[in-house]
Amino acid sequence: MTITLQVQGMTCGHCKAAVTNALQELDGVSRVEVHLQEGTVDVEYDETKVSVEKLKEAIEEQGYDVK
């Protein structure tokens, strides 16, 4: 599955790295692409291993708001 999440507060390369690393640590996430200009994150994942809620929690734990 692929989902695009709206993430507020990402402004720089450090933000991009923090979100990417947090998501890639989750079992079942195969691809993460952060788009700073659009404020979105594309996540390709295995829905049998990780839920959308877990994806959102991982981003929120880095200090960003997920819509």
Side-chain angles (χ1 to χ4, degrees):
M1 298 261 324
T2 302
I3 189 171
T4 300
L5 300 170
Q6 296 286 328
V7 181
Q8 293 183 325
M10 298 186 304
T11 57
C12 64
H14 177 268
C15 300
K16 182 176 181 175
V19 170
T20 300
N21 291 338
L23 289 170
Q24 287 179 336
E25 286 179 9
L26 297 174
D27 186 36
V29 173
S30 56
R31 186 181 67 85
V32 176
E33 193 169 338
V34 176
H35 306 279
L36 291 176
Q37 296 289 346
E38 294 84 7
T40 61
V41 180
D42 297 333
V43 186
E44 192 172 304
Y45 67 102
D46 181 342
E47 68 273 18
T48 65
K49 294 183 178 179
V50 66
S51 67
V52 172
E53 283 305 310
K54 288 287 185 194
L55 299 176
K56 290 180 179 181
E57 284 174 19
I59 295 170
E60 288 169 349
E61 285 173 6
Q62 298 302 310
Y64 305 102
D65 293 324
V66 181
K67 293 286 178 191

